Amino acid sequence: MSPARRCRGMRAAVAASVGLSEVSAGSRSGRLFRPPSPAPAAPGARLLRLPGSGAVQAASPERAGWTEALRAAVAELRAGAVVAVPTDTLYGLACAASCSAALRAVYRLKGRSEAKPLAVCLGRVADVYRYCRVRVPEGLLKDLLPGPVTLVMERSEELNKDLNPFTPLVGIRIPDHAFMQDLAQMFEGPLALTSANLSSQASSLNVEEFQDLWPQLSLVIDGGQIGGGQSPECRLGSTVVDLSVPGKFGIIRPGCALESTTDILQQKYGLLPSHASYL
């Protein structure tokens, strides 16, 4: 059976198994899942609102609501769906990197050129070694991840060949956002990740800004406003760094963490700047 057929066939059974709490997102095909906020609700309901910073403590009395959101997202991802998620920089669209049909859906709904790569989101630094050929010190990875950076390295054979088939490289993200780290760990596999917006349009800092995409999504996780303001700098996204050449680095996209990232690469690890070749 093809990956696309498996993705479609699993969806109804998996989604039904978790008892999703849904509200209409303006379409029969799209659902908006809002982690509960501090507002009146049915008796016995546990309430949770994911803060924009992702700073929810593991021991929080609202952890059950957090877990409900995680389970809902994992169910949809395993079924081959596309889910909108908050990160440490922007709202993103995530899908299972192993599901070729889901990858195609991301490109289609964004209107994105298939010649442009998708990043891979992981839950732990240790996972990077499974999906990449790492040629930098482990300390460098831990200094930059989790954080608002995308590290581009040579990909391993573990990744789906339909993910960015035009390049031997892959960009790795571990957002500094507790929900995204929990999601990647609970999903137990690589997630393809890109910004939640139509290609060439502005990035999104809250779920209302990509409301036009809701009908094409299975799930929207509302983590509130991301960032502290509305300046253009808030929408720069992650800093993308090419680390595929030993001893060198290339800045592919300056992003929101350029200065701190280059300081670490040059001053602490002695890497030399070079031309970036990922995009």
Side-chain angles (χ1 to χ4, degrees):
M1 184 181 295
S2 70
R5 186 179 297 273
R6 285 198 300 270
C7 292
R8 290 194 299 268
M10 289 173 58
R11 180 169 179 174
V14 176
S17 69
V18 296
L20 300 184
S21 174
E22 304 167 8
V23 295
S24 173
S27 168
R28 293 168 57 189
S29 61
R31 296 197 299 277
L32 171 63
F33 182 93
R34 290 183 181 271
S37 57
R46 185 174 290 274
L47 306 179
L48 175 68
R49 178 183 183 274
L50 299 183
S53 65
V56 171
Q57 300 299 318
S60 168
E62 297 176 327
R63 186 66 186 184
W66 181 274
T67 301
E68 182 185 1
L70 286 170
R71 287 176 175 168
V74 168
E76 293 291 348
L77 291 166
R78 288 178 178 169
V82 181
V83 175
V85 292
T87 76
D88 53 347
T89 56
L90 306 166
Y91 271 87
L93 301 178
C95 73
S98 60
C99 183
S100 299
L103 296 175
R104 291 191 295 270
V106 170
Y107 280 102
R108 184 171 59 251
L109 70 89
K110 278 179 63 75
R112 183 178 177 87
S113 167
E114 293 189 4
K116 293 185 176 181
L118 302 177
V120 165
C121 177
L122 303 175
R124 306 178 183 88
V125 170
D127 297 333
V128 177
Y129 292 87
R130 178 177 178 183
Y131 300 106
C132 296
R133 294 184 173 90
V134 180
R135 295 174 176 171
V136 295
E138 182 180 9
L140 186 154
L141 295 183
K142 291 183 175 179
D143 281 342
L144 294 177
L145 301 174
V149 296
T150 300
L151 301 183
V152 177
M153 291 172 278
E154 185 179 353
R155 61 190 286 163
S156 76
E157 297 299 322
E158 290 282 334
L159 287 172
N160 181 2
K161 289 180 172 57
D162 289 336
L163 174 72
N164 309 336
F166 46 84
T167 175
L169 306 179
V170 66
I172 298 295
R173 278 278 274 140
I174 304 180
D176 189 14
H177 192 291
F179 181 82
M180 284 305 298
Q181 291 177 43
D182 285 354
L183 178 61
Q185 292 172 26
M186 183 180 287
F187 181 72
E188 298 182 327
L191 298 173
L193 185 66
T194 186
S195 57
N197 59 289
L198 292 173
S199 287
S200 77
Q201 293 191 4
S203 302
S204 301
L205 299 177
N206 59 65
V207 295
E208 285 76 19
E209 290 183 342
F210 60 94
Q211 192 167 358
D212 288 348
L213 296 181
W214 288 2
Q216 301 177 69
L217 302 173
S218 293
L219 198 62
V220 176
I221 300 294
D222 184 357
Q225 180 77 17
I226 295 175
Q230 295 296 325
S231 67
E233 289 75 16
C234 294
R235 301 179 188 272
L236 293 177
S238 65
T239 295
V240 184
V241 185
D242 187 344
L243 295 177
S244 62
V245 179
K248 298 183 178 181
F249 75 93
I251 299 299
I252 297 170
R253 182 176 70 191
C256 64
L258 177 62
E259 184 175 353
S260 60
T261 300
T262 54
D263 283 349
I264 290 172
L265 295 173
Q266 291 182 286
Q267 297 179 17
K268 186 170 183 178
Y269 293 96
L271 300 190
L272 300 175
S274 68
H275 176 71
S277 59
Y278 180 54
L279 294 178

